[in-house]
Amino acid sequence: MSSEKSQLSPRIDKTGNIDILIAAAECFMEQGYHATSIDDVARRLGATKGRIYHYYRSKTELFFDVHREGMRRNFEAVTPVMKGPEPAAKRLSAMFRQHALSMMENLALEAVVVQGVEMHRFGATTPEQRRTLAELMTVRNDFESLFKRVAYEGVEDGSIRTSDVSVAVKVALGAINWLSIWYRPRPAETRDDREILADKIVGSIMQGLNAPA
C-alpha cells in the first residue's frame, strides 16, 4: 500500500488549494480535459492564473492532483466500514454504499478519476505523464483490492456466493463508477435522496452475489 500513502496525503497547506481542485474538477467534468484551459479554471475560481500556477506548473499536473483528491475521498469513505463483527457480506454492502455516496457527493472529482483511466489508456504522451498515470492506476488497484479482500472473506464465511471474486468486484465497482456518467443531482435533492439511490444500486449488486444488502 505504499503507493496509496504516497499519492493520497491530505491537503495541509495553510492557503489551501482544495478550491482550485474543485473548480478544475468542474471544468474537466463539463468540458473534458482537452477543451479545458487554465484560464477556464481561473474564471471558475474567480481568481488569477497566478494563483493556480503557484501550485501547479501545468494543466496536466492539475488534472493529476484532481484525480488524487477524488481517490483520497474514495478511500476515506470506504475504509471505516471495512472491518467489524458483521458477516463479510454486510461489510461489503456498506463499502459499496459508501462508495456510491462518495461518487454522488464528489461528482466532479470522481468524473475526473474516470477520465484519468481513459487518459491512461489513450492520452498520456510523455514519459513523465505515463509514469504518473501508472502510479495513479496503482492507487485505483489498491482501492479495488479493499473490496476483493472483504469479498474473499465473504466467500469463506458463506455470506457471499460467486465463482470469481475479481470479476464480481470489477462489475460492481463498474456499476457504481458509472454514476459519474449518468447521475446528476436534482434540484432540491437531499442526502436522504442520495441514500435511497445508493441503497437501490447496492441492493441490485448484492442480489447478484446471492447476499443480503
Side-chain angles (χ1 to χ4, degrees):
M1 291 288 186
S2 59
S3 59
E4 171 190 335
K5 293 179 181 178
S6 64
Q7 295 294 318
L8 302 177
S9 56
R11 312 288 159 192
I12 58 175
D13 53 275
K14 293 181 180 179
T15 304
N17 66 340
I18 192 65
D19 289 346
I20 297 174
L21 297 180
I22 297 300
E26 291 171 351
C27 290
F28 290 135
M29 180 178 71
E30 294 169 6
Q31 301 170 205
Y33 170 78
H34 293 291
T36 296
S37 67
I38 293 293
D39 285 313
D40 293 326
V41 179
R43 279 193 294 271
R44 178 67 61 96
L45 190 62
T48 65
K49 290 191 293 185
R51 181 180 171 192
I52 299 170
Y53 283 122
H54 174 74
Y55 292 100
Y56 301 104
R57 294 172 296 175
S58 67
K59 179 179 74 170
T60 302
E61 192 175 279
L62 174 57
F63 180 88
F64 289 158
D65 213 25
V66 174
H67 189 292
R68 290 186 185 94
E69 180 63 15
M71 287 306 304
R72 188 189 69 80
R73 294 189 184 200
N74 285 340
F75 276 99
E76 188 175 68
V78 166
T79 303
V81 298
M82 276 187 66
K83 297 180 180 179
E86 300 87 357
K90 286 290 185 182
R91 288 182 281 122
L92 186 63
S93 176
M95 292 170 69
F96 286 141
R97 186 177 191 271
Q98 288 300 108
H99 183 39
L101 289 170
S102 179
M103 290 293 298
M104 288 185 273
E105 292 173 354
N106 302 295
L107 183 62
L109 291 165
E110 304 308 337
V112 172
V113 170
V114 173
Q115 289 179 24
V117 176
E118 292 302 306
M119 182 182 285
H120 178 250
R121 294 179 62 196
F122 305 116
T125 58
T126 69
E128 183 178 359
Q129 288 176 4
R130 289 193 291 271
R131 185 165 52 251
T132 300
L133 278 168
E135 292 171 354
L136 293 176
M137 292 307 104
T138 298
V139 173
R140 283 179 58 85
N141 291 338
D142 288 344
F143 183 68
E144 183 179 303
S145 293
L146 300 181
F147 294 85
K148 289 180 182 177
R149 187 185 314 165
V150 177
Y152 277 118
E153 292 175 13
V155 171
E156 291 177 1
D157 69 21
S159 62
I160 290 173
R161 296 178 184 176
T162 178
S163 60
D164 193 317
V165 164
S166 180
V167 170
V169 168
K170 287 179 185 297
V171 169
L173 291 179
I176 295 171
N177 292 340
W178 202 246
L179 280 163
S180 68
I181 304 299
W182 64 264
Y183 168 79
R184 294 296 181 270
R186 303 186 305 274
E189 182 177 280
T190 66
R191 167 81 179 192
D192 286 344
D193 293 327
R194 292 189 290 275
E195 289 182 345
I196 290 169
L197 178 55
D199 287 339
K200 290 179 179 178
I201 294 169
V202 175
S204 296
I205 290 170
M206 298 309 291
Q207 283 181 0
L209 295 171
N210 292 313

